[in-house]
């Protein structure tokens, strides 16, 4: 076990995903046929031998609780340490949920003080990437930085929602910009490593001054006081912030090179034992990601099909995302559509969207 503790922040920072976050957080949105978004960050930590992880929640977290359980599927169901769920109200008498990471950590400060490890990785739960956290930690120890931020030189999220870092001499961050980018700036991916001692000090400082936001109040507000460095990650990374963005990043998985990079190391998820997918005699499949437990009797093309989906005879699915246990009736047509879990599309129905504005059908809907 490495001397590193994980803290994942699983709450909605952006509300431009309509039906997809009506009953869940971004971290628990299904992704890639069988996974949830948070699976990638938890797996990053497991792959780096981090086995003590706290998941900080704020709203609409029932779906995430059901998915994570006690952490057994990630080998984190332990008597001491392992996976811990941290609710939004950390102290008795606290009636309002937190405004940002610093306030959230103040509400669970007892948990942070009891951590056995001397270093902490702070990570957003909406990032899809296969990060080498063990290399990030090694770089942090060698550099002597107070905080090491994982960044990308390539665009990942929406500029107006992101934080950008500009390095000066000796690789030290000299300027932090929020909501806009400049030439040579690195996009902060929401993952950083800091010592437990410094983190406790910063949490106490921010609580005393009523400061709530990590990016604005720590990275930007203390740039001249803290020695902040970067680790540049050049692999595939995606932040899910809008419905069209979720659709586009899901479609990226149809590219073999993206799948090879994103799953270069194991990504674990909640186990659901299913039989192999059945393909009917008249079915047609072209360039799709199809999970197990499905019955495909129609035609599917350029689509992501989750576990337990049933597609009737004569149905045509193109450029679409069909989530778990959805039923598509015979003769139905879907193009640029996203159907959430347990949706029923009746026979001969037609759902047509656009790549920039896919039509989204909410969970448990009947069309």
């Amino acid at each position: 076990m490495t001397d590193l503790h994980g803290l994942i922040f699983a709450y909605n920072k952006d509300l431009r995903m309509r039906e997809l976050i009506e009953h869940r957080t971004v971290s628990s949105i299904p992704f890639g046929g069988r996974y949830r978004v948070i699976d990638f960050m938890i797996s990053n930590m497991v792959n780096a031998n981090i086995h003590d992880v706290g998941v900080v929640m704020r709203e609409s977290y029932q779906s995430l609780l059901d998915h994570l359980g006690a952490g057994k599927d990630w080998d984190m169901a332990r008597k001491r340490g392992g996976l811990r769920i941290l609710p939004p109200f950390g102290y008795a008498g606290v009636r309002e949920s937190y405004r940002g990471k610093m306030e959230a950590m103040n509400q669970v400060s007892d948990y942070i003080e009891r951590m056995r490890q001397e270093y902490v990785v702070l990570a957003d739960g909406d990032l899809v990437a296969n990060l080498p956290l063990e290399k990030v930690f090694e770089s942090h120890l060698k550099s002597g930085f107070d905080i090491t931020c994982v960044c990308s030189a390539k665009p990942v999220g929406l500029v107006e929602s992101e934080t950008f870092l500009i390095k000066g001499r000796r690789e030290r961050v000299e300027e932090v910009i929020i909501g806009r980018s400049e030439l040579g700036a690195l996009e902060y991916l929401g993952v950083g490593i800091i010592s437990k001692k410094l983190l406790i000090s910063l949490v106490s400082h921010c609580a005393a001054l009523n400061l709530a936001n990590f990016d604005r109040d720590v990275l930007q507000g203390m740039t001249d006081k803290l020695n902040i460095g970067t680790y540049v990650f050049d692999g595939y990374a995606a932040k899910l912030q809008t419905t069209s963005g979720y659709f586009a990043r899901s479609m990226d998985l149809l590219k073999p090179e993206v799948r090879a990079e994103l799953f270069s190391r194991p990504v674990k998820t909640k186990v659901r034992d299913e039989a192999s997918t059945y393909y009917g005699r008249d079915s047609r499949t072209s360039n799709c990601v199809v999970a197990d437990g499905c019955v495909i009797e129609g035609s599917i093309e350029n689509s992501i099909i989750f576990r337990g989906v049933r597609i009737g005879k004569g149905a045509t699915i193109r450029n679409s995302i069909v989530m778990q246990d959805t039923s598509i009736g015979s003769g139905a047509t879907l193009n640029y559509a996203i159907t959430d879990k347990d949706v029923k599309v009746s026979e001969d129905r037609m759902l047509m969207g656009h790549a920039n504005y896919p039509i989204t059908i909410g969970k448990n809907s009947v069309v």
Side-chain angles (χ1 to χ4, degrees), residues 137-340:
F137 186 42
E138 182 181 346
S139 173
H140 177 77
L141 295 177
K142 288 182 178 179
S143 67
F145 288 129
D146 294 326
I147 304 174
T148 296
C149 298
V150 181
C151 301
S152 174
K154 299 177 288 187
V156 176
L158 298 173
V159 172
E160 61 269 26
S161 301
E162 296 306 309
T163 297
F164 298 88
L165 312 180
I166 297 179
K167 295 191 295 184
R169 290 179 294 180
R170 298 182 181 178
E171 298 298 300
R172 183 178 181 274
V173 173
E174 293 189 346
E175 186 176 1
V176 177
I177 306 170
I178 297 176
R180 61 182 179 86
S181 182
E182 292 185 3
L183 184 65
L186 298 171
E187 183 173 343
Y188 175 49
L189 295 181
V191 180
I193 293 181
I194 184 173
S195 71
K196 171 186 168 182
K197 181 179 179 180
L198 178 58
L199 180 61
I200 292 173
S201 174
L202 291 175
V203 169
S204 177
H205 171 80
C206 289
L209 297 178
N210 195 29
L211 303 175
N213 190 279
F214 179 77
D215 291 20
R216 183 183 63 248
D217 299 322
V218 175
L219 295 182
Q220 187 180 60
M222 303 182 188
T223 306
D224 57 337
K225 299 174 183 175
L226 295 173
N227 192 16
I228 303 173
T230 63
Y231 178 95
V232 181
F233 176 66
D234 60 0
Y236 180 85
K239 285 191 175 183
L240 306 181
Q241 298 166 322
T242 64
T243 300
S244 59
Y246 168 78
F247 181 82
R249 300 294 76 78
S250 295
M251 292 297 107
D252 284 346
L253 295 179
L254 299 179
K255 304 172 185 177
E257 63 273 17
V258 171
R259 292 199 303 273
E261 185 174 338
L262 193 54
F263 296 98
S264 57
R265 297 186 300 172
V267 177
K268 297 184 178 181
T269 188
K270 183 178 181 179
V271 173
R272 171 174 161 170
D273 294 325
E274 296 272 9
S276 300
T277 290
Y278 168 79
Y279 294 89
R281 179 174 298 180
D282 298 324
S283 64
R284 296 289 184 270
T285 303
S286 175
N287 192 34
C288 293
V289 171
V290 183
D292 48 6
C294 299
V295 175
I296 311 295
E297 296 185 292
S299 174
I300 56 176
E301 179 182 345
N302 299 328
S303 297
I304 310 290
I305 310 298
F306 282 73
R307 294 182 285 194
V309 169
R310 295 181 175 271
I311 299 176
K313 294 182 179 179
T316 301
I317 314 296
R318 295 191 182 95
N319 311 305
S320 295
I321 301 169
V322 183
M323 294 188 191
Q324 184 171 300
D325 296 324
T326 289
S327 175
I328 309 295
S330 300
T333 300
L334 274 67
N335 195 12
Y336 292 110
I338 302 172
T339 67
D340 208 327

Side-chain angles (χ1 to χ4, degrees), residues 30-67:
F31 186 82
R34 59 179 304 186
Y35 304 94
R36 302 295 183 103
V37 172
I38 200 171
D39 292 337
F40 292 87
M41 190 54 65
I42 294 180
S43 297
N44 289 335
M45 294 182 178
V46 172
N47 291 335
N49 290 317
I50 303 171
H51 295 293
D52 289 353
V53 175
V55 180
V56 184
M57 302 184 177
R58 184 167 68 183
E59 73 274 289
S60 303
Y61 49 81
Q62 185 60 51
S63 173
L64 197 57
L65 287 174
D66 292 341
H67 178 69

